[in-house]
Amino acid sequence: MMNLQVHIDQHSGFCFGVVYAIEMAEEILDEQGYLYCLGDIVHNDEEVNRLTAKGLKIINHDELHDLVNEKVLIRAHGEPPSTYELSIKNNLTLIDASCPVVLKLQNRIKNSFDKEETIYIYGKHGHAEVVGLLGQTNNKAVVFQDISELDIESLPKNLTLYSQTTKSTDKFYEINEILKDNGITVNNNDTICRQVSNRDKELRAFAEKFDKIVFVSGTKSSNGKVLYNVCKEKNPNTYFVSNQDQVCSTWFSPNDTVGICGATSTPMWLMEQVKAKLDTF
């Protein structure tokens, strides 16, 4: 036995928006035995598999067009107006689990669009949340995930800047300063979720406390990739796994202290399974 000292980061795991969506899904699954969900309810295959075993049916937007007279869960990422319009046409009952932080952002962007402001959104191309945000502007806003994508000299001299809720606060303000330094007047809207953005600061401190770090996340999670790199930067002995079967005993030495942490889409039960595996070494 290696006598590993293993600790789970109690700040890791689902953000409140994901918790809300999963609780809503489980309540309906318990009532009727099945429920349609538009896209993966969370970017974690293990949690999706757990819920699909209970009757959750994951569908895409093409499949939604063919669905009538059913209940459909809207996940925490939110949806564009077109999804709500289609639900009326197809007599669908939407179980709206959109995160309140995302809904607030959608409303602010819609108000800016109605005022004919020039809108730029700092976010990941094609991300579900960003698709919903773009929908508030009839897809006329400009999305960029790095300042290098923008031709600074050709930008309008006045613009309204928003951010996907899960992006880095520091990066958002860095972009804001670059724009201002280039003579652009920026109507700056900090709409980043602090529960998510504060995770990187918390994880930096957590990662430094241990000899080794096991970061648990689904491979589809953008937030997971960012937070894994935060841990890796502070502790080079950081390992990425999606489940307990991927943990290798060769990563550890006798009496190592090991910290387990994860993304905002990582369920606590999965981190506990990883800990149970480590405890067998």
Side-chain angles (χ1 to χ4, degrees), residues 21-135:
I22 289 175
E23 285 179 348
M24 289 183 76
E26 290 189 308
E27 185 176 327
I28 294 172
L29 288 170
D30 289 341
E31 288 176 1
Q32 69 176 34
Y34 76 97
L35 173 66
Y36 290 96
C37 180
L38 187 54
D40 285 345
I41 190 168
V42 62
H43 289 153
N44 185 279
D45 288 342
E46 303 295 326
E47 180 67 4
V48 169
N49 290 341
R50 183 184 75 84
L51 290 168
T52 52
K54 294 188 70 169
L56 192 69
K57 300 176 185 293
I58 308 297
I59 59 172
N60 58 34
H61 285 82
D62 288 338
E63 292 167 317
L64 184 70
H65 278 82
D66 299 326
L67 202 65
V68 294
N69 305 322
E70 290 285 0
K71 291 181 181 178
V72 180
L73 182 79
I74 301 300
R75 56 191 175 167
H77 299 94
E79 282 292 319
S82 57
T83 298
Y84 296 88
E85 292 163 6
L86 179 63
S87 72
I88 295 172
K89 178 183 174 184
N90 288 10
N91 195 34
L92 300 172
T93 300
L94 295 185
I95 311 302
D96 199 339
S98 299
C99 172
V101 178
V102 174
L103 286 178
K104 182 178 179 181
L105 171 55
Q106 287 186 351
N107 288 333
R108 289 178 67 174
I109 289 179
K110 178 66 165 64
N111 288 336
S112 289
F113 180 69
D114 289 344
K115 294 176 184 175
E116 300 185 346
E117 296 175 9
T118 304
I119 301 169
Y120 281 69
I121 301 172
Y122 170 47
K124 182 180 179 182
H125 296 293
H127 189 280
E129 180 189 325
V130 173
V131 171
L133 300 179
L134 265 176

Side-chain angles (χ1 to χ4, degrees), residues 131-148:
V131 171
L133 300 179
L134 265 176
Q136 310 306 317
T137 71
N138 291 336
N139 296 321
K140 292 181 179 178
V142 175
V143 174
F144 66 99
Q145 54 193 45
D146 191 271
I147 190 72
S148 63

